[in-house]
Amino acid sequence: MKRLIALFCITLCLVPAAMAVPAPPEIAAPSAVLMDAAGGRILYEKNAHEKLHPASVTKIMSLLLTMEAMDEGLVTPETVITASEHAASMGGSQIFLEPGEQMTLDDLLKSVAVSSANDACVAIGEHIAGSEEGFVERMNRRAEELGMADTHFENCTGLDADGHVTTAYDIALMSRELLRHDAIRAYTSIWMDTVRNGEFGLSNTNKLIRFYDGATGLKTGFTSSAGSCVSATAMRDGMELISVIMKAETSPKRNADASALLNFGFANYTLVTPEEKSATAPVPVKLGVCDTVETRLASDGAFVAEKGSAGRMERTVTLAESLTAPVEEGQIVGSYVVTLDGEEQARIPIVAAAAVERKAFGTIFRDLASSLCGRE
């Protein structure tokens, strides 16, 4: 059985209706998406599920697998990687690796994120998975895990290949996952840098990094089949947005479309973060060494909403009436739900803030005896 601890509602008739979000800008590109990075809400879409060649935007998945390998301790920024003949043979954008040349993962990551170097990308993939083919298998497996239903990779670079396709929506999904790794922004936000001890210059292919306020990344792409593509990310006032543009005619038109969507998002939406103090309360614990356990939100639960809509949101906190020890730290004990005009905006688990051990049998017996005898 559960009890309702708090129900925060504001009567709609007492609050002026928020102004409707203006019409989005006209986007010239045939496919586009604007997504909120915090909650994954789609703020704009145009042919979002059309399968298209992604060009070097593919490297977002390559970067994601690299960051995850770092999290697992398989590699570090200082890991030295040796370029194979296959890696050195890559065409297109490159840093002109020589077979047998050694470079740190840090420099190779910079080369991929900043200059979209195909040879550096393949060298990383081979080191992590043993071969580019093995790395691509992992890319496709990770895409499936992320729900990228319309994506298939044939290589890790984005060079045109039959069957190498994705969608604006799927690109937004993998971009959002990559942004969970804070360290990636240290690479994707670089404007200019060097490798080989300053001998080889890098210049970011994403010009928004320099010319768009708050830009954080993420990756551009171009081939004759793919056209000009980008997953452009930017953050203002704590809110990060993902603007995906596919198959634009030129890079200036791609950047104009991406900027227009970001401007639309920042002008009309805001980041809402639930107040933890209003969402939690102690829960009684039976047979525990403590009589109650404090609670907390499982995450900050931040989500994006239309500006001016906060006064119309309803917040419902539901907690278990009681728990029976043992209670584990992080155990789900309730939920915090935010709705707007009847639509759920956020659902955040409420969890136990600490563990509560079960009383020893002897202690339980003494407590019971004391209770029967009327003594404390």
Side-chain angles (χ1 to χ4, degrees), residues 17-100:
M19 295 179 63
V21 173
E26 291 291 331
I27 299 301
S31 180
V33 156
L34 180 66
M35 178 184 280
D36 142 47
R41 178 179 174 183
I42 299 297
L43 307 179
Y44 171 89
E45 59 181 319
K46 177 182 179 181
N47 299 324
H49 299 283
E50 182 179 355
K51 294 182 181 180
L52 296 167
H53 293 296
S56 284
V57 176
T58 297
K59 294 186 177 80
I60 291 172
M61 181 59 80
S62 300
L63 292 169
L64 173 59
L65 293 188
T66 304
M67 300 308 292
E68 291 176 344
M70 291 174 67
D71 287 347
E72 295 170 13
L74 300 177
V75 290
T76 70
E78 293 74 34
T79 296
V80 176
I81 295 176
T82 302
S84 68
E85 288 191 12
H86 175 61
S89 72
M90 291 296 108
S93 301
Q94 55 184 306
I95 55 171
F96 303 99
L97 287 172
E98 294 288 341

Side-chain angles (χ1 to χ4, degrees), residues 9-296:
C9 301
I10 299 180
T11 306
L12 298 183
C13 63
L14 297 180
V15 180
M19 295 179 63
V21 173
E26 291 291 331
I27 299 301
S31 180
V33 156
L34 180 66
M35 178 184 280
D36 142 47
R41 178 179 174 183
I42 299 297
L43 307 179
Y44 171 89
E45 59 181 319
K46 177 182 179 181
N47 299 324
H49 299 283
E50 182 179 355
K51 294 182 181 180
L52 296 167
H53 293 296
S56 284
V57 176
T58 297
K59 294 186 177 80
I60 291 172
M61 181 59 80
S62 300
L63 292 169
L64 173 59
L65 293 188
T66 304
M67 300 308 292
E68 291 176 344
M70 291 174 67
D71 287 347
E72 295 170 13
L74 300 177
V75 290
T76 70
E78 293 74 34
T79 296
V80 176
I81 295 176
T82 302
S84 68
E85 288 191 12
H86 175 61
S89 72
M90 291 296 108
S93 301
Q94 55 184 306
I95 55 171
F96 303 99
L97 287 172
E98 294 288 341
E101 182 177 0
Q102 293 186 321
M103 192 172 287
T104 64
L105 176 60
D106 183 61
D107 278 349
L108 291 172
L109 270 175
K110 282 194 296 186
S111 301
V112 173
V114 177
S115 293
S116 198
N118 294 326
D119 48 0
C121 188
V122 172
I124 293 172
E126 289 179 331
H127 184 85
I128 291 174
S131 67
E132 183 183 6
E133 292 77 13
F135 193 65
V136 173
E137 286 181 11
R138 296 189 187 188
M139 291 170 66
N140 284 314
R141 188 162 59 246
R142 194 70 178 98
E144 184 177 354
E145 292 169 354
L146 292 175
M148 297 167 61
D150 297 310
T151 294
H152 179 76
F153 299 115
E154 289 288 337
N155 55 62
C156 67
T157 59
L159 292 171
D160 287 338
D162 290 342
H164 187 96
V165 294
T166 188
T167 66
Y169 176 76
D170 286 358
I171 288 172
L173 287 180
M174 67 176 177
S175 297
R176 182 180 178 228
E177 190 67 21
L178 179 58
L179 290 171
R180 295 180 186 275
H181 299 267
D182 291 336
I184 195 61
R185 294 176 184 81
Y187 296 98
T188 59
S189 62
I190 294 171
W191 174 237
M192 299 185 75
D193 208 326
T194 62
V195 293
R196 297 189 177 103
N197 298 316
E199 295 179 3
F200 190 91
L202 306 175
S203 180
N204 205 315
T205 58
N206 181 6
K207 305 311 176 188
L208 297 177
I209 290 298
R210 182 175 182 183
F211 298 109
Y212 191 85
D213 180 30
T216 56
L218 196 60
K219 192 70 196 73
T220 62
F222 172 80
T223 66
S224 57
S225 297
S228 290
C229 308
V230 70
S231 178
T233 59
M235 181 183 292
R236 294 180 186 173
D237 298 324
M239 180 174 71
E240 193 162 25
L241 301 178
I242 303 164
S243 175
V244 179
I245 303 296
M246 298 195 73
K247 209 167 186 177
E249 292 181 357
T250 65
S251 58
K253 289 184 178 180
R254 172 193 71 193
N255 293 344
D257 280 347
S259 297
L261 283 183
L262 291 172
N263 289 340
F264 169 75
F266 287 124
N268 294 289
Y269 295 88
T270 188
L271 191 68
V272 178
T273 303
E275 295 183 8
E276 187 159 32
K277 288 184 178 179
S278 66
T280 59
V283 175
V285 179
K286 298 177 181 178
L287 305 181
V289 295
C290 300
D291 294 332
T292 62
V293 63
E294 295 295 328
T295 60
R296 60 176 175 81

